[in-house]
Amino acid sequence: MKIKSLYIVFILLYFAQQAKSQELLKLEDAVKIALENNYEIKLAKNDLKIDELGNTIGNAGMLPTISASVVNNNNILNTTQTQIDGSERTLDGARNLNLTYGVGLDWTVFDGLRMFARKEQLNILQKQGEAELKLAILTRISDIYINYFDLVQQQQQLAAIDTAIVISEERVTTAQNRYSIGKAAKLEVLNAQVDLNADKSLRLKQIELIKTAKIRLNEILARDVQTDFVVTNEISVDEQLKFDELKSSADQQNPQIQAQILTKNIAEQELKQVKAGRYPTVRITSAYNFTRSEASLGFVTQSSGRGMFYGINASVPIFNGSLQNRNEKIAKVQLENANITLEQQKRSLESQLNAAFTSYVTNLELTKVEAKNLDIAEQNLDITMSKFKIGTITPIEFRTAQQNFLDAKVRYSNAMYMTKINEITLKELAGSLSF
C-alpha cells in the first residue's frame, strides 16, 4: 500500500473509532457553547447590562426629586415668663410640640448644560460596553479557533505516527523473516525492534499532547475539563486575504480602537461637565406641608396650618479658590491623554497587522514547499520499502527514509496550523472574525 494511502486510512480509522465513543465537536458547536458558557463573555455581558441600566435621564440629573418628610420636635421645660405689666408666670414641666410633615419637590432646571453632557456620556459608556463585549467575544472565539485547530494538527500528527508504526512493524517482520532464513543478522532484528519501540513511545507522548489540548479547550468552553470529544480532521486556510482590506476593516471595526475612541469621547463630555461649573444653577423647590404646634404656656397654646410652598433658587459662581481653573486644566490633560492613547493603539494595531500579514504570507508559501517535500518523502519511502523488502538497502537507509517522511508530515501539519493561526489573528485584529 502506498504511504499516502496508508496515512489517509489511519486518520479516517482514528476519526471513525473516536467518533463512535466520543462527542464529535464541530467548530461552530464549540463557538456556540462558548458564547453561552464562557466566564469572560458572561462578565462582559453583565457589565453591559450595568451600563444599560445606568443610561437614564434620571441618572443624568434631568428629573426632579420628590421626597416625603416628617419633623417632630418636642421639649419639656421649666418656664418663667415676664408679662408686659411686670407680672411673672411660671410653669414647671411645660410641654412644647412642633410637627411638620409633607411632600417636597426639588428640581434643577439649569446647571450650565452639565446634565446634557452627562446624558451623552452615559450613551457613550453604553456603546463602550458594547465594544468591550465584542472584544471579549472576539478574544475568546479566537482562543477557541486556535485551540481547536491545534487539536486537528495533533490528530494529524498522531495518524502520521501510526503510519510510521505500521511501517516499523512490517520492518520487524521482514527482518525476522530474513534472520530466520539466514540472510540477516540478529542485530538487524534488534535494531528494527528498538525503532518500533521508539515509535510507540512517540505515540504515547502524542496522545498526552492531545489530552492536554482537549483539557485547555474544555476550560475555554467552561465545561467539565474531563469531557472527551473528537474534532474534525482537516485545516482549511483562507488564501485570499488582502492587507489593504484588512487594514480598512481594522480601522472601522477593531473593538480596541472603537473602545478607545469612545474613551476619548467620554473625556470630551467630562470636560463639558467641568466647564458647566462656570454657569449659573437654577433650582425650583416646592412643597405641600402640614404644620402643628402646641405650647403649655403663652398667648397661643395651639396652632396648625397647611399649604403650598414654592420658590426659585439661583446661584452664580464667582470665586471658589481657583478650583474651577484647576479642574478644567485636569480635564483637558485627561482628554489629551485619551488622544495620545488612541494614536498609540492605532500604531500598535498597524504594527500587529503588518507582522501578522508577513507571517501569513510566509507560512502560506511554506505550506506549498512542505506539501512538495511531503510528496517527495512519501515517494522516497515507497521506493525505500520496496528495496528493503528485496534487501538492496541497509536498515539505516530505511529508517532514515521513514524518519524523513514523519518529519515532513509534521512540518507540513505545523505549517498549515501556523498559517491558520495567522489567518485567525488577522481577522481578529480586523474585527471580522465570524462567530
Side-chain angles (χ1 to χ4, degrees), residues 100 135 177 209 243 250 297 360 389:
T100 302
L135 175 61
N177 291 337
L209 290 175
F243 180 80
L297 185 66
Y360 166 77
K389 289 178 180 179

Side-chain angles (χ1 to χ4, degrees), residues 7 154 156-167 198-207 402 405-406 409-410:
Y7 169 77
Q154 297 293 352
Q156 291 175 345
Q157 292 182 18
L158 180 61
I161 294 171
D162 285 337
T163 305
I165 288 175
V166 170
I167 296 171
D199 291 339
K200 289 182 177 180
S201 176
L202 187 61
R203 186 180 192 277
L204 290 174
K205 293 179 181 178
Q206 187 62 31
I207 291 175
Q402 183 186 17
F405 163 74
L406 184 58
K409 186 60 191 175
V410 170

Side-chain angles (χ1 to χ4, degrees), residues 338-380:
N339 281 311
I340 292 172
T341 303
L342 176 59
E343 290 302 314
Q344 182 185 34
Q345 287 198 357
K346 285 182 177 179
R347 297 290 81 77
S348 176
L349 174 61
E350 186 177 359
S351 174
Q352 292 177 65
L353 272 173
N354 275 279
F357 192 78
T358 299
S359 296
Y360 166 77
V361 173
T362 300
N363 282 288
L364 203 57
E365 291 299 316
L366 188 59
T367 56
K368 297 175 183 178
V369 172
E370 294 299 345
K372 293 179 181 178
N373 286 338
L374 179 58
D375 186 57
I376 293 171
E378 289 171 351
Q379 294 179 43
N380 182 52

Side-chain angles (χ1 to χ4, degrees), residues 77-131:
L77 300 173
N78 295 327
T79 304
T80 300
Q81 291 183 349
T82 301
Q83 306 295 314
I84 193 171
D85 59 359
S87 61
E88 291 187 351
R89 298 176 61 189
T90 301
L91 179 63
D92 292 338
R95 292 179 174 274
N96 296 286
L97 175 148
N98 286 287
L99 173 64
T100 302
Y101 59 95
V103 178
L105 177 146
D106 192 344
W107 192 0
T108 301
V109 294
F110 183 77
D111 61 354
L113 303 179
R114 180 186 286 110
M115 64 182 71
F116 295 97
R118 174 59 180 165
K119 183 61 175 69
E120 182 60 26
Q121 188 179 55
L122 292 174
N123 292 337
I124 296 171
L125 283 170
Q126 181 176 335
K127 292 178 181 177
Q128 189 177 53
E130 293 169 355

Side-chain angles (χ1 to χ4, degrees), residues 289-302:
N289 288 335
F290 296 84
T291 63
R292 176 182 174 84
S293 63
E294 295 180 2
S296 299
L297 185 66
F299 292 104
V300 180
T301 59
Q302 180 177 320

